[in-house]
Amino acid sequence: MKAFIVLANGMVFEGESFGAEGTRVGEVVFSTAMAGYEETLTDPSYYGQIITQTYPMIGNYGVNGEDAESARIWAFGYIVREACEEPSNFRCKKTISAFLKEQGIIGVSGVDTRRLTRILRESGVMNGAVTTEYESAEAALGDAALMERIRAYAVTDAVDSVSARERRTYNEDGRWHVALFDFGYKNNILRSLVARGCKVTVVPARTSAQELAALGLDGIMLSNGPGDPAENVAIIENLKAITHMGLPVFGICLGHQLTALAHGARTEKLKYGHRGVNQPVTDLAHGRTYITSQNHGYAVVADTVRADEAEVSHVNANDGTVEGIRYKNIPCFTVQFHPEACGGPRDTGYLFDEFIAMMQKGGAQHA
């Protein structure tokens, strides 16, 4: 069956349908990851987005369910050069096409993803639609209602759409009790904490400092998540109090951005974002560059980080954007990249160990 990708600038790509059928509008982005497509699709940070994979073949080792970062696919659509229908791996449970179809997600294959990625790099991330409901590109472009939907689309209420509604606790016998804020957390953040001996209570995104105080915590973890960080006004206000509770705080991705906003910094939307597992990040304190996994479309503006409150600890080696902040007056550090990355790289997993060390010292030592 024919499928089309319709961009807000009027460009159309024709391909073949795999997965579900229908029409879905979203923000078209690209990821440079060569593997980990199951993790990508189930990452809540992709809420509202249609993912283009730059790697030419997707699905060659199938889908197993164990590598999922959440209970469902959050991406709004999936674009690949080739979708493998005969995967080969001892862990494989189903094909990528079956995975998308059972969850109602539209996939488009047979697309020149190299060309599409160059357009997104040069013009910036843009809105678009994936659809199987038109006979031709001309018919899709001629549908004024569809084009209006595409141009008007915005990712809104993202965190509230993906966050848990109630608390859940894991590893009850853990030595350190950590509250993991669910802004759209990835399962491997939870796994990384549990593997280090933590009892983890996943809490809804809007949990207040007063509610946290009743849990008897040793530390607070602020997760990744989707959307424009500045949209989360109530959460940012909560974090002003939460980060001054005296407990060690570690923030990742959206958690990093929200903490910066709570301390007077500003965020801005990047032209095409950082999405993939090959993003170079320099640790300024140690003069060492790590290859990291990332998935974000916004960044903290460096010159808005208040010198009396914090300092930039990591920068992106490609474009110089802020990748980490360490706070001076509170036991808190945050990073833009994913130290828990599955399927890799895991070079920065030591940051979880730093967080554990902070809890061992009761937050007395900053990261």
Side-chain angles (χ1 to χ4, degrees), residues 33 36 40 50 56-57 67 84 88 92 97 161 231-232 236 238-239 257 272 283 285-286 289 292 303 335 367:
T40 295
I50 297 169
M57 178 183 279
D67 293 338
C84 179
S88 177
C92 176
S97 181
S161 297
E231 179 188 54
N232 301 285
I236 293 166
N238 280 344
L239 286 177
Q257 298 165 359
Y272 48 81
D283 182 330
H286 299 99
T289 298
T292 70
D303 61 11
V335 293

Side-chain angles (χ1 to χ4, degrees), residues 143-174:
D143 186 339
L146 174 64
M147 296 308 297
E148 178 57 30
R149 280 178 61 199
I150 292 171
R151 296 189 180 105
Y153 180 77
V155 181
T156 58
D157 299 321
V159 171
D160 285 336
S161 297
V162 304
S163 181
R165 296 293 180 263
E166 56 187 25
R167 295 198 298 262
R168 302 183 304 278
T169 299
Y170 301 85
N171 194 31
E172 287 280 4
D173 297 327

Side-chain angles (χ1 to χ4, degrees), residues 314-366:
H314 298 73
V315 296
N316 189 289
N318 283 336
D319 60 16
T321 51
V322 175
E323 293 280 1
I325 297 175
R326 293 182 185 269
Y327 291 83
K328 298 178 179 179
N329 306 314
I330 54 175
C332 175
F333 70 105
T334 65
V335 293
Q336 182 63 75
F337 51 92
H338 288 267
E340 84 294 341
C342 253
R346 303 182 184 181
D347 301 20
T348 56
Y350 69 88
L351 292 169
F352 281 94
D353 299 325
E354 290 193 16
F355 180 51
I356 299 298
M358 290 172 68
M359 290 191 291
Q360 285 177 320
K361 297 181 179 180
Q365 176 183 310
H366 294 188

Side-chain angles (χ1 to χ4, degrees), residues 201-253:
T201 298
V202 176
V203 300
R206 293 176 178 264
T207 302
S208 67
Q210 291 81 0
E211 291 171 306
L212 291 178
L215 296 179
L217 299 171
D218 298 294
I220 297 168
M221 186 90 211
L222 306 175
S223 83
N224 61 291
D228 180 351
E231 179 188 54
N232 301 285
V233 177
I235 295 171
I236 293 166
E237 195 62 32
N238 280 344
L239 286 177
K240 292 178 182 179
I242 289 167
T243 54
H244 284 88
M245 291 175 65
L247 295 171
V249 178
F250 179 16
I252 292 175
C253 197

Side-chain angles (χ1 to χ4, degrees), residues 69-327:
E69 290 287 7
S70 68
R72 53 167 284 191
I73 295 175
W74 290 100
F76 279 18
Y78 204 41
I79 302 167
V80 302
R81 178 69 185 89
E82 180 180 351
C84 179
E85 288 298 333
E86 295 183 358
S88 177
N89 187 275
F90 72 98
R91 300 173 68 218
C92 176
K93 298 289 196 303
K94 65 189 73 170
T95 65
I96 186 73
S97 181
F99 186 45
L100 293 179
K101 187 172 184 178
E102 72 182 18
Q103 298 205 28
I105 305 300
I106 301 165
V108 185
S109 65
V111 174
D112 186 348
T113 50
R114 183 184 178 92
R115 179 171 175 242
L116 176 55
T117 298
R118 291 184 68 176
I119 290 168
L120 297 177
R121 278 183 60 91
E122 292 166 9
S123 302
V125 166
M126 70 176 76
N127 292 345
V130 286
T131 180
T132 63
E133 297 184 315
Y134 298 88
E135 290 296 322
S136 66
E138 292 76 17
L141 285 174
D143 186 339
L146 174 64
M147 296 308 297
E148 178 57 30
R149 280 178 61 199
I150 292 171
R151 296 189 180 105
Y153 180 77
V155 181
T156 58
D157 299 321
V159 171
D160 285 336
S161 297
V162 304
S163 181
R165 296 293 180 263
E166 56 187 25
R167 295 198 298 262
R168 302 183 304 278
T169 299
Y170 301 85
N171 194 31
E172 287 280 4
D173 297 327
R175 180 175 176 185
W176 300 283
H177 190 187
V178 177
L180 170 55
F181 268 82
D182 183 10
F183 302 136
Y185 83 95
K186 293 163 64 178
N187 281 340
N188 213 46
I189 295 178
L190 173 60
R191 295 187 195 109
S192 296
L193 292 169
V194 169
R196 288 168 172 82
C198 295
K199 170 185 175 181
V200 182
T201 298
V202 176
V203 300
R206 293 176 178 264
T207 302
S208 67
Q210 291 81 0
E211 291 171 306
L212 291 178
L215 296 179
L217 299 171
D218 298 294
I220 297 168
M221 186 90 211
L222 306 175
S223 83
N224 61 291
D228 180 351
E231 179 188 54
N232 301 285
V233 177
I235 295 171
I236 293 166
E237 195 62 32
N238 280 344
L239 286 177
K240 292 178 182 179
I242 289 167
T243 54
H244 284 88
M245 291 175 65
L247 295 171
V249 178
F250 179 16
I252 292 175
C253 197
L254 182 63
H256 157 79
Q257 298 165 359
L258 294 173
T259 304
L261 289 166
H263 289 83
R266 183 168 56 84
T267 55
E268 65 182 358
K269 190 169 187 177
L270 299 173
K271 185 176 181 180
Y272 48 81
H274 300 151
R275 298 177 180 88
V277 298
N278 54 359
Q279 296 287 333
V281 169
T282 301
D283 182 330
L284 297 177
H286 299 99
R288 180 173 178 179
T289 298
Y290 297 92
I291 301 303
T292 70
S293 175
Q294 300 193 19
N295 173 20
H296 64 104
Y298 292 80
V300 176
V301 180
D303 61 11
T304 66
V305 177
R306 293 176 49 179
D308 60 329
E309 290 208 8
E311 63 182 3
V312 174
S313 60
H314 298 73
V315 296
N316 189 289
N318 283 336
D319 60 16
T321 51
V322 175
E323 293 280 1
I325 297 175
R326 293 182 185 269
Y327 291 83

